[in-house]
């Protein structure tokens, strides 16, 4: 069986499978890196990995989906194809001069809390991820974290990010 032989339902099912495994590989990579070294080391390596991978992903998305827009419009368009945007179900509120992304339900943090592990520090990693992604779309995009772990946050939201063009 190859992808060309799959109908739309089978392709969707396979895509769901790939996205689930994408998340699982990321989770086990982080857990085993923490076990082999320590939490702080795993967080630093995770930050480097996602800083690199996000830019590569953004370039590929721009090419594959013909995203020619720059600025915040191009950023939002490309971000909607980003696997973590789909997996986490980012809430994206786009205005003319800014984009706000909120994450009311983070499967990674929720899984950790469910297992009694506590939240991990993801703020720097996501900053690097978003900066790497945004820079490919338009290097004028500025990334601002309003809050993300380890910051205090409301019970109904794990993180909130603001994107705007540099003045």
């Amino acid at each position: 069986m190859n992808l060309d032989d799959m109908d739309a339902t089978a392709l969707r099912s396979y895509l769901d499978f790939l996205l689930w495994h994408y998340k699982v590989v990321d989770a086990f990579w982080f857990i085993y890196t923490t076990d082999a070294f320590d939490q702080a080391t795993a967080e630093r390596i995770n930050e480097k990995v996602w800083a690199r991978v996000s830019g590569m992903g953004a370039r590929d998305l721009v090419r594959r989906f013909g995203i020619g827009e720059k600025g915040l419009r191009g950023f939002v368009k490309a971000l909607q194809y980003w696997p973590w945007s789909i997996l986490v179900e980012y809430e994206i509120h786009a205005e003319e001069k800014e984009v706000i992304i909120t994450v009311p339900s983070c499967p990674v943090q929720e899984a950790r809390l469910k297992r009694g592990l506590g939240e991990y520090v993801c703020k720097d990693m996501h900053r690097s991820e978003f900066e790497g992604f945004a820079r490919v779309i338009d290097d004028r995009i500025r990334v601002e974290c309003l809050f993300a772990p380890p910051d205090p946050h409301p019970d109904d939201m794990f993180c909130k990010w603001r994107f705007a063009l540099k003045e």
Side-chain angles (χ1 to χ4, degrees):
M1 168 77 52
N2 68 47
L3 295 177
D4 292 333
D5 297 331
M6 292 183 183
D7 64 16
T9 301
L11 281 170
R12 174 62 188 206
S13 180
Y14 189 62
L15 178 60
D16 289 342
F17 162 82
L18 290 174
L19 286 170
W20 184 81
H21 275 277
Y22 184 91
K23 181 173 58 174
V24 169
V25 167
D26 181 65
F28 279 110
W29 174 92
F30 190 87
I31 289 166
Y32 292 137
T33 302
T34 300
D35 289 348
F37 301 100
D38 56 53
Q39 183 82 14
T41 301
E43 289 167 359
R44 283 192 308 275
I45 294 170
N46 204 31
E47 180 182 343
K48 288 182 177 186
V49 167
W50 286 105
R52 176 68 189 261
V53 169
S54 64
M56 293 169 63
R59 276 188 290 284
D60 198 24
L61 290 170
V62 165
R63 183 182 54 79
R64 285 179 188 268
F65 296 101
I67 300 169
E69 295 97 335
K70 296 290 183 189
L72 298 174
R73 182 176 295 214
F75 173 72
V76 168
K77 193 170 200 178
L79 190 65
Q80 290 173 333
Y81 290 103
W82 185 234
W84 284 110
S85 182
I86 296 166
L87 288 166
V88 176
E89 297 179 1
Y90 293 158
E91 291 186 1
I92 302 172
H93 306 279
E95 301 290 334
E96 183 180 338
K97 295 196 181 261
E98 72 175 12
V99 172
I100 301 291
I101 294 177
T102 57
V103 179
S105 176
C106 178
V108 175
Q109 297 289 17
E110 288 170 348
R112 291 181 60 81
L113 292 171
K114 184 177 176 181
R115 289 168 179 76
L117 297 173
E119 293 179 356
Y120 83 102
V121 177
C122 61
K123 182 178 185 173
D124 292 336
M125 180 272 296
H126 283 302
R127 179 182 290 114
S128 295
E129 174 192 17
F130 285 138
E131 286 174 347
F133 193 95
R135 188 172 27 255
V136 168
I137 305 305
D138 190 324
D139 63 7
R140 299 173 301 154
I141 298 174
R142 184 174 46 87
V143 178
E144 177 186 1
C145 179
L146 302 175
F147 59 83
D151 299 337
H153 57 82
D155 290 341
D156 64 346
M157 189 177 306
F158 281 91
C159 64
K160 188 173 186 177
W161 297 83
R162 180 178 180 271
F163 304 83
L165 293 181
K166 293 177 185 169
E167 300 289 325

